[in-house]
Each structure stands twice: as C-alpha cells, then as structure tokens.
Amino acid sequence: MSKIDQVRSDMMAAMKAGDKERKAALSFLLSSLKNKAIDKRADLTEEEENQVVLKEIKQLKETLDLTPADRTDIIEECEGRLAVLNDYAPKMMDEEAIRAVVAQVLGSLGIEKPVPKDKGRIMKELMPKVKGKADGKLVNDIVASYME
C-alpha cells in the first residue's frame, strides 16, 4: 500500500472518529504527496514519499523555531502536526549505525586519519548512502568528530 493510500485511509478514520487535528494534519500531508506525484506525472517511489514527509517535518520544525514563545496557538498546532507526521516518517539511523557507514566510507577511500580538506570527498561518498535515512546535521557532526 502506498503512503498516499495509507494516509487517505487514516484520514478517513480520523474523520469518522471526529479527530479534527489529526484529520487536518493528514489532509495537509496527503495534498503534499499528491502535488509531488502531479509534478512528477507518475506514481511516487517509497523514497520520494519519504522525502515529502521529511520535508514537511523539517518545515514544521523551522516554523516552531521561528515562532515567538507567546504564540502558543501556533506552537500547539505545529507540535500536533509533528506528532502525526512522525508516524509516517521513515525510521532514521542511530548514531552507531551512522558511525559504521562513516568508517566503511573512510576505509573505501583509504583515509586513516581524515583532515578537514578530506571532508568534501568523504561527504560526497557518504551522503548517497545515508540520504533520507539519517539526519544530515548528525552525519556532519559525526564526520567532524573523526577529524579532531
């Protein structure tokens, strides 16, 4: 079952249950997924669906970061949507798994002790392997920790 079908059926269940917040969040996600499929003019792959979900989560987090503390209505709405969208987000790699991939990339590049000028080569090789599976900031921090 594609994410679009899953989100649609979950949205119907939320409507029947009278859960307006969940229904609104799912409706928002469904429209984003459909728009991406329309832009592509084909069905989305699982990876593309996951990218849409992660993009929506990132936008909500940015909204939360930029919202003043006294705007509790916006903060509550964003947190509610985040909770719903996290159910549809792909499982992310933990720090230990990322370190294993970094170590493997360092081995394949023949780098024992990386220096800052190697970072571009390392990231170029590493990012396709963890894209959509790991937080880019965490990956960057782990690679930087190898250079200390």
Side-chain angles (χ1 to χ4, degrees), residues 16-28:
K16 290 177 183 176
D19 188 349
K20 290 181 182 178
E21 289 81 21
R22 184 169 176 80
K23 185 256 176 202
L26 290 173
S27 174
F28 187 72

Side-chain angles (χ1 to χ4, degrees), residues 18 33-34 37-38 53-54 57 63 74 82 86 88-89 91 95 101 104 107-108 116 121-122 125 132 140 143 146 148:
L33 288 166
K34 284 182 175 180
I38 290 169
V53 174
L54 292 173
I57 289 173
T63 301
I74 296 174
L82 267 175
N86 281 330
Y88 299 93
K91 181 162 178 4
E95 188 173 338
V101 175
Q104 182 227 341
S108 71
R121 264 181 43 212
I122 295 168
E125 184 82 20
N140 191 32
V143 170
Y146 276 86
E148 294 172 350

Side-chain angles (χ1 to χ4, degrees), residues 8-47:
R8 185 179 291 125
S9 68
D10 290 350
M11 187 176 79
M12 297 294 252
M15 285 169 46
K16 290 177 183 176
D19 188 349
K20 290 181 182 178
E21 289 81 21
R22 184 169 176 80
K23 185 256 176 202
L26 290 173
S27 174
F28 187 72
L29 177 59
L30 183 62
S31 69
S32 296
L33 288 166
K34 284 182 175 180
N35 286 338
K36 179 74 172 180
I38 290 169
D39 289 346
K40 184 182 173 191
R41 293 192 167 118
D43 290 339
L44 299 177
T45 64
E46 185 176 343
E47 184 176 324

Side-chain angles (χ1 to χ4, degrees), residues 69-81:
D70 61 339
R71 293 297 309 265
T72 56
D73 56 329
I74 296 174
I75 292 171
E76 288 173 9
E77 180 183 344
C78 287
E79 287 173 346
R81 282 188 177 184

